[in-house]
Amino acid sequence: MKNDKELCVYCNSRFAETQDHVPPKGFFPQPRPSNLITVPACKECNLGSGVDEEFFLASFMFSEAGVTSTGKTLWEQKLHRMYAKNNGLRKRIATLLRRVNLVTPSGLFIKRGIVIKQDEPRLAKVVAKIVRGLYYFEYKEPLDISTEIISQFLRTESDAAEAIKFNDQLLYGTRQWTDIFEYKFNRVEENHRCSMWVIRFFGKIVFWVISGNDNDFVKTVPLSNNS
Ligand SMILES: [Zn+2]
């Protein structure tokens, strides 16, 4: 029998009756690795984010991640079917696509193409759930439900440069799957709600994530030396 006293790592309120995959197992092409991460979750939290996760995957298939070998395999194995039969998802992605002229940083025209404008609040929801799951996996305690999780999609080199500053202070995730899912992390010893994560999907899509509350940031981050 399962231990029914354990609480869900996401909502911290309902009992965990299931094991949830972190990241979602649909992010792995078949055959899936045998060492996927799972965390205790209630049914509502386990099943409640499937649509957002499908959207997350499908939207990145139109970015440079879609042309990696993992992206191609995922697309062939399942995403094209999901995209073809799910009219809501297709419409939603169509509204995010725009035609653009691809140019080099110096302004040299390359070709006409299509880029996707990322639906960031929806992506942030998926990333926040993954971070809650990873936090539990790494620290064997849930991240308090009141803790805010802020994520930034590192779209450009200058976005990424800010996150790279912290690289030396971060630890490698206990489990990594090269070109599918990799992460680095750390937390503030005196205040466990404050943590930082750099998460990379499919070797290409990088998110920088910080957890904590407003008060935490004021106490732990020196804002100014002027006074
Ligand atoms: Zn839950």
Side-chain angles (χ1 to χ4, degrees), residues 7-16 40-46:
L7 288 177
C8 169
V9 305
Y10 300 116
C11 62
N12 299 172
S13 61
R14 290 180 289 261
F15 288 128
C42 70
K43 275 185 197 150
E44 287 87 340
C45 291
N46 189 334

Side-chain angles (χ1 to χ4, degrees), residues 3-221:
N3 176 7
D4 62 357
K5 294 286 180 224
E6 199 163 24
L7 288 177
C8 169
V9 305
Y10 300 116
C11 62
N12 299 172
S13 61
R14 290 180 289 261
F15 288 128
E17 298 166 89
T18 65
Q19 290 289 318
D20 190 46
H21 285 87
V22 186
K25 65 173 186 247
F27 286 30
F28 293 86
Q30 306 268 16
R32 291 187 186 121
S34 58
N35 64 340
L36 299 183
I37 297 170
T38 60
V39 297
C42 70
K43 275 185 197 150
E44 287 87 340
C45 291
N46 189 334
L47 301 173
S49 44
V51 176
D52 289 334
E53 288 160 6
E54 282 193 351
F55 179 82
F56 184 100
L57 267 188
S59 58
F60 281 115
M61 286 303 118
F62 291 94
S63 76
E64 57 181 345
V67 297
T68 61
S69 72
T70 308
K72 280 181 187 156
T73 309
L74 270 176
W75 183 257
E76 281 156 19
Q77 287 181 351
K78 104 178 196 173
L79 279 164
H80 72 284
R81 274 199 305 278
M82 184 181 91
Y83 187 70
K85 73 173 190 227
N86 186 334
N87 204 34
L89 179 69
R90 198 164 60 222
K91 275 188 190 150
R92 182 135 188 88
I93 286 178
T95 64
L96 292 170
L97 292 174
R98 342 173 244 159
R99 293 201 166 272
V100 291
N101 295 323
L102 298 177
V103 293
T104 65
S106 58
L108 183 70
F109 177 82
I110 301 174
K111 61 172 182 171
R112 248 182 118 63
I114 290 177
V115 293
I116 187 155
K117 185 172 158 292
Q118 306 294 356
D119 185 352
E120 295 191 27
R122 206 158 174 190
L123 302 179
K125 240 171 98 182
V126 173
V127 170
K129 188 182 174 198
I130 290 171
V131 162
R132 283 194 184 279
L134 292 177
Y135 188 99
Y136 180 86
F137 175 69
E138 294 291 349
Y139 293 114
K140 309 303 172 217
E141 62 183 23
L143 186 58
D144 188 272
I145 190 67
S146 67
T147 306
E148 202 184 340
I149 297 178
I150 302 161
S151 65
Q152 189 186 3
F153 173 43
L154 302 180
R155 190 189 304 272
T156 64
E157 303 252 323
S158 64
D159 284 346
E162 200 56 38
I164 287 166
K165 284 184 199 162
F166 295 94
N167 226 9
D168 293 345
Q169 296 171 48
L170 299 179
L171 314 165
Y172 281 99
T174 305
R175 293 185 197 166
Q176 311 270 346
W177 299 272
T178 306
D179 290 338
I180 301 176
F181 184 79
E182 295 148 285
Y183 65 100
K184 293 180 84 175
F185 69 102
N186 213 338
R187 71 176 177 185
V188 174
E189 261 326 298
E190 312 82 66
N191 187 343
H192 287 178
R193 280 193 307 239
C194 296
S195 67
M196 182 183 290
W197 305 76
V198 175
I199 298 179
R200 185 163 65 175
F201 299 90
F202 313 123
K204 296 275 186 193
I205 303 156
V206 183
F207 284 87
W208 184 26
V209 188
I210 290 169
S211 74
N213 294 351
D214 284 351
N215 291 344
D216 298 332
F217 292 126
V218 173
K219 273 183 246 152
T220 56
V221 180

